[in-house]
Amino acid sequence: MINRRLTQDLIPDTSLWRLEVRIAPDSLSALLIGPMSADRSVLAHSEPLPDPTLKSLENAIYDNPLLLGDFQSVSVIISTSQLVQIPQGISAPLRENIVEAMLPDSDTARRTIAAPMPDGELLAAVDAETLNFLLRTFPDARLTLSLSVDARWLTYYNRNRGDSARLYALCYADEMKILKFNDCGSLVFANRFDTFSAADCAYYILATAGSTPLPVSVGGSPDLRNAVIEQLRLAAPGGEFMPLTLPDSLLTVRRQAPEICDDLIFLTEL
């Protein structure tokens, strides 16, 4: 992963490049992808934020002025725990009522954003000032949610495997996502959890899998992924646990950005 400052001299002409930005409470990440070619150029950046305030996010973006370039396309992924899933076709006023009733209260103004799921929608409550800043800074951006990206891409990926029952876990230092598919390839469970160790991740995986043996593919940060698989094999010796293997179409990006979050990689195909 490239952690140096993103300055304009790194890509003098961004008009043929694609920008993907990931906003989390504790970090800012970006993936910049050049025109399609055999050796496609990729530039990756990630940095921690000192706190979850809007000021910290503003400083991080302005300190990396390349992010403000004129790109061919821009996407912004928001990673948040303030999520609720709903069926398709719910009216906007009812969405607001659902968010108000099901998500924790907030001392600051929030706005609801929606992102598609394979069978419904995902709603998130986002700080209103933060969302306004993102819309001003990236006015033409496609705005989406991390769990939505994971769910849509893994549904496509699992379908290409033959619509098999399988559990996918994406594990990072402070969060994980679990997505479970049935024998017909339908997504039957998708959620995000706060985690602090490989043992936490293994616990949530086994609890979600239940008593029925289910193949498990684990992605996320490579070192943590390997530690989680080791924990799973110790806890359930008869289970089928393996690393998530990306298709060739995404391996070029992954090789050049080995530590970047999977949702940024997945988004290149959505």
Side-chain angles (χ1 to χ4, degrees):
M1 180 181 295
I2 299 174
N3 289 304
R4 60 181 167 172
R5 246 179 110 232
L6 296 177
T7 53
Q8 288 96 333
D9 59 292
L10 294 174
I11 309 176
D13 180 9
T14 59
S15 62
L16 297 179
W17 283 66
R18 175 175 176 173
L19 170 65
E20 296 175 2
V21 178
R22 186 181 196 270
I23 309 295
D26 61 352
S27 64
L28 168 72
S29 303
L31 192 62
L32 299 89
I33 305 168
M36 182 68 74
S37 64
D39 56 346
R40 194 172 195 181
S41 298
V42 174
L43 188 63
H45 174 85
S46 185
E47 64 178 271
L49 299 178
D51 55 58
T53 63
L54 174 57
K55 187 63 177 177
S56 291
L57 177 60
E58 289 175 338
N59 290 340
I61 290 176
Y62 293 143
D63 283 346
N64 293 280
L66 181 59
L67 298 178
L68 306 176
D70 184 16
F71 290 89
Q72 183 181 63
S73 67
V74 179
S75 298
V76 176
I77 298 175
I78 294 178
S79 177
T80 175
S81 61
Q82 303 297 298
L83 299 169
V84 59
Q85 296 182 57
I86 62 171
Q88 291 178 338
I90 302 295
S91 66
L94 187 52
R95 286 178 179 177
E96 297 293 336
N97 292 338
I98 291 171
V99 167
E100 190 70 26
M102 298 189 66
L103 295 180
D105 293 335
S106 173
D107 294 332
T108 60
R110 299 184 300 184
R111 288 177 60 186
T112 299
I113 61 172
M117 293 289 279
D119 187 20
E121 286 187 300
L122 189 66
L123 304 181
V126 179
D127 175 75
E129 290 189 1
T130 298
L131 185 58
N132 290 339
F133 166 72
L134 292 174
L135 294 175
R136 290 194 308 270
T137 306
F138 307 107
D140 299 318
R142 175 176 56 153
L143 193 68
T144 190
L145 298 169
S146 175
L147 188 59
S148 167
V149 174
D150 296 331
R152 287 183 289 135
W153 190 85
L154 286 170
T155 297
Y156 159 80
Y157 176 75
N158 197 58
R159 204 164 279 156
N160 286 345
R161 294 177 56 95
D163 282 343
S164 58
R166 182 171 291 268
L167 187 148
Y168 295 90
L170 306 173
C171 304
Y172 305 99
D174 55 359
E175 70 171 61
M176 73 177 299
K177 273 80 70 70
I178 296 180
L179 302 100
K180 183 179 179 180
F181 294 84
N182 64 15
D183 290 332
C184 299
S186 297
L187 181 65
V188 295
F189 180 88
N191 207 349
R192 176 198 178 281
F193 302 92
D194 292 327
T195 53
F196 303 97
S197 67
D200 287 342
C201 295
Y203 168 80
Y204 284 119
I205 290 169
L206 293 174
T208 305
S211 58
T212 304
L214 192 66
V216 176
S217 293
V218 183
S221 302
D223 289 343
L224 180 57
R225 174 199 64 202
N226 295 338
V228 170
I229 292 174
E230 183 178 349
Q231 290 274 342
L232 290 169
R233 289 173 176 166
L234 289 172
E240 184 181 345
F241 309 111
M242 65 203 74
L244 174 64
T245 303
L246 295 181
D248 291 342
S249 58
L250 295 183
L251 284 180
T252 298
V253 179
R254 170 54 77 202
R255 290 191 189 106
Q256 296 184 70
E259 296 290 340
I260 209 76
C261 289
D262 288 304
D263 50 15
L264 284 168
I265 304 290
F266 297 160
L267 192 60
T268 65
E269 289 194 334
L270 292 176

PDB file of all heavy atoms in Angstrom, residues 128-140:
ATOM      1  N   ALA A 128     -25.048  14.834   8.960  1.00  0.00           N
ATOM      2  CA  ALA A 128     -25.490  15.711   7.871  1.00  0.00           C
ATOM      3  C   ALA A 128     -24.359  16.608   7.369  1.00  0.00           C
ATOM      4  O   ALA A 128     -24.200  16.795   6.149  1.00  0.00           O
ATOM      5  CB  ALA A 128     -26.675  16.552   8.343  1.00  0.00           C
ATOM      6  N   GLU A 129     -23.569  17.181   8.259  1.00  0.00           N
ATOM      7  CA  GLU A 129     -22.485  18.064   7.824  1.00  0.00           C
ATOM      8  C   GLU A 129     -21.424  17.297   7.042  1.00  0.00           C
ATOM      9  O   GLU A 129     -20.875  17.803   6.062  1.00  0.00           O
ATOM     10  CB  GLU A 129     -21.865  18.770   9.031  1.00  0.00           C
ATOM     11  CG  GLU A 129     -22.769  19.809   9.676  1.00  0.00           C
ATOM     12  CD  GLU A 129     -22.043  20.633  10.720  1.00  0.00           C
ATOM     13  OE1 GLU A 129     -20.831  20.399  10.921  1.00  0.00           O
ATOM     14  OE2 GLU A 129     -22.671  21.517  11.324  1.00  0.00           O
ATOM     15  N   THR A 130     -21.132  16.078   7.491  1.00  0.00           N
ATOM     16  CA  THR A 130     -20.154  15.261   6.781  1.00  0.00           C
ATOM     17  C   THR A 130     -20.651  14.924   5.386  1.00  0.00           C
ATOM     18  O   THR A 130     -19.902  15.013   4.400  1.00  0.00           O
ATOM     19  CB  THR A 130     -19.875  13.963   7.562  1.00  0.00           C
ATOM     20  OG1 THR A 130     -19.324  14.291   8.836  1.00  0.00           O
ATOM     21  CG2 THR A 130     -18.909  13.065   6.806  1.00  0.00           C
ATOM     22  N   LEU A 131     -21.906  14.538   5.274  1.00  0.00           N
ATOM     23  CA  LEU A 131     -22.456  14.199   3.968  1.00  0.00           C
ATOM     24  C   LEU A 131     -22.467  15.425   3.053  1.00  0.00           C
ATOM     25  O   LEU A 131     -22.126  15.335   1.869  1.00  0.00           O
ATOM     26  CB  LEU A 131     -23.868  13.640   4.118  1.00  0.00           C
ATOM     27  CG  LEU A 131     -24.519  13.123   2.834  1.00  0.00           C
ATOM     28  CD1 LEU A 131     -23.672  12.030   2.192  1.00  0.00           C
ATOM     29  CD2 LEU A 131     -25.920  12.621   3.105  1.00  0.00           C
ATOM     30  N   ASN A 132     -22.838  16.584   3.579  1.00  0.00           N
ATOM     31  CA  ASN A 132     -22.824  17.814   2.774  1.00  0.00           C
ATOM     32  C   ASN A 132     -21.421  18.126   2.266  1.00  0.00           C
ATOM     33  O   ASN A 132     -21.233  18.534   1.112  1.00  0.00           O
ATOM     34  CB  ASN A 132     -23.366  18.985   3.591  1.00  0.00           C
ATOM     35  CG  ASN A 132     -24.855  18.881   3.840  1.00  0.00           C
ATOM     36  OD1 ASN A 132     -25.566  18.185   3.110  1.00  0.00           O
ATOM     37  ND2 ASN A 132     -25.337  19.549   4.883  1.00  0.00           N
ATOM     38  N   PHE A 133     -20.419  17.923   3.124  1.00  0.00           N
ATOM     39  CA  PHE A 133     -19.032  18.156   2.710  1.00  0.00           C
ATOM     40  C   PHE A 133     -18.636  17.207   1.580  1.00  0.00           C
ATOM     41  O   PHE A 133     -18.012  17.626   0.586  1.00  0.00           O
ATOM     42  CB  PHE A 133     -18.095  17.976   3.903  1.00  0.00           C
ATOM     43  CG  PHE A 133     -16.644  17.861   3.524  1.00  0.00           C
ATOM     44  CD1 PHE A 133     -15.946  18.970   3.082  1.00  0.00           C
ATOM     45  CD2 PHE A 133     -15.990  16.644   3.605  1.00  0.00           C
ATOM     46  CE1 PHE A 133     -14.607  18.866   2.708  1.00  0.00           C
ATOM     47  CE2 PHE A 133     -14.653  16.529   3.244  1.00  0.00           C
ATOM     48  CZ  PHE A 133     -13.964  17.644   2.795  1.00  0.00           C
ATOM     49  N   LEU A 134     -18.992  15.940   1.696  1.00  0.00           N
ATOM     50  CA  LEU A 134     -18.640  14.971   0.659  1.00  0.00           C
ATOM     51  C   LEU A 134     -19.327  15.309  -0.663  1.00  0.00           C
ATOM     52  O   LEU A 134     -18.717  15.204  -1.737  1.00  0.00           O
ATOM     53  CB  LEU A 134     -19.029  13.558   1.102  1.00  0.00           C
ATOM     54  CG  LEU A 134     -18.228  12.988   2.276  1.00  0.00           C
ATOM     55  CD1 LEU A 134     -18.815  11.651   2.711  1.00  0.00           C
ATOM     56  CD2 LEU A 134     -16.751  12.823   1.905  1.00  0.00           C
ATOM     57  N   LEU A 135     -20.576  15.732  -0.602  1.00  0.00           N
ATOM     58  CA  LEU A 135     -21.304  16.075  -1.827  1.00  0.00           C
ATOM     59  C   LEU A 135     -20.744  17.329  -2.477  1.00  0.00           C
ATOM     60  O   LEU A 135     -20.776  17.472  -3.705  1.00  0.00           O
ATOM     61  CB  LEU A 135     -22.793  16.239  -1.513  1.00  0.00           C
ATOM     62  CG  LEU A 135     -23.518  14.958  -1.067  1.00  0.00           C
ATOM     63  CD1 LEU A 135     -24.955  15.274  -0.671  1.00  0.00           C
ATOM     64  CD2 LEU A 135     -23.495  13.908  -2.169  1.00  0.00           C
ATOM     65  N   ARG A 136     -20.245  18.262  -1.667  1.00  0.00           N
ATOM     66  CA  ARG A 136     -19.605  19.460  -2.230  1.00  0.00           C
ATOM     67  C   ARG A 136     -18.244  19.123  -2.821  1.00  0.00           C
ATOM     68  O   ARG A 136     -17.861  19.643  -3.879  1.00  0.00           O
ATOM     69  CB  ARG A 136     -19.437  20.538  -1.146  1.00  0.00           C
ATOM     70  CG  ARG A 136     -20.703  21.195  -0.661  1.00  0.00           C
ATOM     71  CD  ARG A 136     -20.374  22.465   0.127  1.00  0.00           C
ATOM     72  NE  ARG A 136     -19.395  22.237   1.177  1.00  0.00           N
ATOM     73  CZ  ARG A 136     -19.696  21.883   2.425  1.00  0.00           C
ATOM     74  NH1 ARG A 136     -20.967  21.700   2.764  1.00  0.00           N
ATOM     75  NH2 ARG A 136     -18.754  21.726   3.334  1.00  0.00           N
ATOM     76  N   THR A 137     -17.501  18.295  -2.125  1.00  0.00           N
ATOM     77  CA  THR A 137     -16.126  17.988  -2.533  1.00  0.00           C
ATOM     78  C   THR A 137     -16.092  17.069  -3.742  1.00  0.00           C
ATOM     79  O   THR A 137     -15.239  17.218  -4.627  1.00  0.00           O
ATOM     80  CB  THR A 137     -15.375  17.330  -1.359  1.00  0.00           C
ATOM     81  OG1 THR A 137     -15.471  18.175  -0.208  1.00  0.00           O
ATOM     82  CG2 THR A 137     -13.903  17.127  -1.698  1.00  0.00           C
ATOM     83  N   PHE A 138     -17.013  16.122  -3.806  1.00  0.00           N
ATOM     84  CA  PHE A 138     -17.095  15.176  -4.927  1.00  0.00           C
ATOM     85  C   PHE A 138     -18.503  15.268  -5.534  1.00  0.00           C
ATOM     86  O   PHE A 138     -19.323  14.354  -5.379  1.00  0.00           O
ATOM     87  CB  PHE A 138     -16.804  13.754  -4.441  1.00  0.00           C
ATOM     88  CG  PHE A 138     -15.510  13.608  -3.690  1.00  0.00           C
ATOM     89  CD1 PHE A 138     -15.504  13.410  -2.309  1.00  0.00           C
ATOM     90  CD2 PHE A 138     -14.293  13.686  -4.348  1.00  0.00           C
ATOM     91  CE1 PHE A 138     -14.322  13.259  -1.609  1.00  0.00           C
ATOM     92  CE2 PHE A 138     -13.090  13.544  -3.659  1.00  0.00           C
ATOM     93  CZ  PHE A 138     -13.104  13.337  -2.286  1.00  0.00           C
ATOM     94  N   PRO A 139     -18.813  16.364  -6.218  1.00  0.00           N
ATOM     95  CA  PRO A 139     -20.198  16.625  -6.628  1.00  0.00           C
ATOM     96  C   PRO A 139     -20.777  15.604  -7.601  1.00  0.00           C
ATOM     97  O   PRO A 139     -21.994  15.426  -7.662  1.00  0.00           O
ATOM     98  CB  PRO A 139     -20.118  18.022  -7.268  1.00  0.00           C
ATOM     99  CG  PRO A 139     -18.686  18.186  -7.646  1.00  0.00           C
ATOM    100  CD  PRO A 139     -17.903  17.443  -6.621  1.00  0.00           C
ATOM    101  N   ASP A 140     -19.937  14.942  -8.383  1.00  0.00           N
ATOM    102  CA  ASP A 140     -20.431  13.972  -9.365  1.00  0.00           C
ATOM    103  C   ASP A 140     -20.214  12.532  -8.906  1.00  0.00           C
ATOM    104  O   ASP A 140     -20.320  11.600  -9.714  1.00  0.00           O
ATOM    105  CB  ASP A 140     -19.735  14.189 -10.713  1.00  0.00           C
ATOM    106  CG  ASP A 140     -20.017  15.572 -11.280  1.00  0.00           C
ATOM    107  OD1 ASP A 140     -21.177  16.012 -11.185  1.00  0.00           O
ATOM    108  OD2 ASP A 140     -19.075  16.199 -11.803  1.00  0.00           O
TER     109      ASP A 140
END
